[in-house]
């Protein structure tokens, strides 16, 4: 088997497509998590989404970024938070490590053959992202920017929500939206410069990013799933 990242012949690991720490809050006492599909409702799966994807060395490379991202999102490194109306501005993030983490997640969902990720078709960006991740080159801030939005319901972050990635548009550009760990991640997968609002909110090379909390009730793309959640007494 060939590793999807370095392309070397190797025994492949059963790699996580979505890093496990993003599901940590979602596991119940039996280590199952709530996975939601538009059509099939709420069902359980064991231990996240895995697939033979990476060799041991590439697993190691990506796990370094995952460890760092886990600290940014769950605590463990000093960050500065500033509230500006509805917007939360975070600074002190290591641009290269957090960006490579975010790009590696997007890339893995594009490479994955799992039905959950069938909505992600990166085309020529798949190879561009592969090379950036392999070379540990995060590019500049306008290259594949992403915006992170906490999803709120009655004052709390909605953690028990995993939604298959969907395509959307930001301005004229194609974007992908993921929901896991109580956060919506919107990536612009396009070669052109992103709209200014996106660039302003996305992670800057100085290590600042803006989060705009979304109310669950305002998110039309998951409203039907939210109704499903309420019905299943998850919320
Ligand atoms: Zn490899």
């Amino acid at each position: 088997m060939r590793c999807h990242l370095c392309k070397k012949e190797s025994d492949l690991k059963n790699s996580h497509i979505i890093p496990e720490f993003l599901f940590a809050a979602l596991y119940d006492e039996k280590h199952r998590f709530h996975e939601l599909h538009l059509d099939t409702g709420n069902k359980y799966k064991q231990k996240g989404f895995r697939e033979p994807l990476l060799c041991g060395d590439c697993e190691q490379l990506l796990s370094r970024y995952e460890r760092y991202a886990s600290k940014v999102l769950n605590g463990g490194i000093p960050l500065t938070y500033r509230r500006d109306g509805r917007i939360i501005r975070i600074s002190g993030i290591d641009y290269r490590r957090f960006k490579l983490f975010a790009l590696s997640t997007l890339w893995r969902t594009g490479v994955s053959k799992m039905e959950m990720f069938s909505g992600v078709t990166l085309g020529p960006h798949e190879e561009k992202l592969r090379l950036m991740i392999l070379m540990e080159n995060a590019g500049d801030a306008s290259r594949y920017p992403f915006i992170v939005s906490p999803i709120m319901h009655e004052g709390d972050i909605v953690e028990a929500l995993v939604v298959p990635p969907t395509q959307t548009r930001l301005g004229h550009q194609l974007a992908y939206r993921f929901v896991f760990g109580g956060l919506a991640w919107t990536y612009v997968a396009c070669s052109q410069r992103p709209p200014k609002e996106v660039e302003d909110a996305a992670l800057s090379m100085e290590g600042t990013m803006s989060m705009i909390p979304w109310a669950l009730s305002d998110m039309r793309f998951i409203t039907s799933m939210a109704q499903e959640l309420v019905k299943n007494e998850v919320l």
Side-chain angles (χ1 to χ4, degrees), residues 166-235:
T166 48
Q167 281 191 11
T168 182
R169 292 213 162 255
L170 280 181
H172 296 295
Q173 293 173 330
L174 182 64
Y176 290 99
R177 191 158 40 197
F178 298 69
V179 177
F180 37 63
L183 302 170
W185 301 65
T186 309
Y187 291 87
V188 177
C190 184
S191 302
Q192 285 124 43
R193 209 176 173 93
K196 188 177 179 305
E197 306 76 55
V198 174
E199 212 172 313
D200 287 349
L203 179 63
S204 73
M205 293 179 86
E206 292 73 40
T208 301
M209 84 179 170
S210 299
M211 284 186 175
I212 305 163
W214 285 350
L216 189 58
S217 54
D218 293 341
M219 301 172 72
R220 269 171 300 163
F221 76 105
I222 55 171
T223 300
S224 56
M225 272 172 285
Q227 285 160 353
E228 194 77 34
L229 281 165
V230 171
K231 216 165 66 197
N232 287 291
E233 298 180 336
V234 176
L235 291 183

Side-chain angles (χ1 to χ4, degrees), residues 4-5 12-24 27 31 33 45-55 58-60 62-63 66 101 103-114 116-117 180:
H4 285 75
L5 185 57
L12 298 189
K13 304 284 182 191
N14 202 16
S15 309
H16 282 282
I17 306 300
I18 303 289
E20 190 167 30
F21 79 86
L22 287 167
F23 290 116
Y27 287 128
H31 296 281
F33 69 88
K45 272 208 175 157
Q46 296 283 336
K47 281 282 178 188
F49 301 95
R50 288 170 174 268
E51 180 175 335
L53 204 70
L54 304 172
C55 70
C58 289
E59 279 269 316
Q60 284 298 315
L62 298 195
S63 72
E66 285 174 23
F101 160 75
L103 296 186
S104 79
T105 304
L106 175 65
W107 174 78
R108 278 180 275 189
T109 60
V111 173
S112 172
K113 303 275 189 293
M114 297 178 91
M116 169 82 174
F117 305 112
F180 37 63

Side-chain angles (χ1 to χ4, degrees), residues 88-161:
I88 305 159
R89 296 192 201 282
I90 307 173
S91 47
I93 300 169
D94 182 321
Y95 172 79
R96 195 182 70 88
R97 287 195 281 173
F98 198 68
K99 180 90 179 235
L100 283 168
F101 160 75
L103 296 186
S104 79
T105 304
L106 175 65
W107 174 78
R108 278 180 275 189
T109 60
V111 173
S112 172
K113 303 275 189 293
M114 297 178 91
E115 196 198 331
M116 169 82 174
F117 305 112
S118 58
V120 184
T121 46
L122 297 170
H125 302 295
E126 186 175 303
E127 179 63 6
K128 289 176 187 169
L129 287 165
R130 182 184 77 83
L131 291 171
M132 287 171 79
I133 298 158
L134 187 63
M135 305 299 177
E136 304 184 50
N137 167 18
D140 66 27
S142 64
R143 193 109 173 100
Y144 304 120
F146 61 93
I147 295 174
V148 184
S149 313
I151 303 170
M152 311 297 289
H153 180 70
E154 294 176 354
D156 288 323
I157 291 188
V158 183
E159 287 179 333
L161 193 60

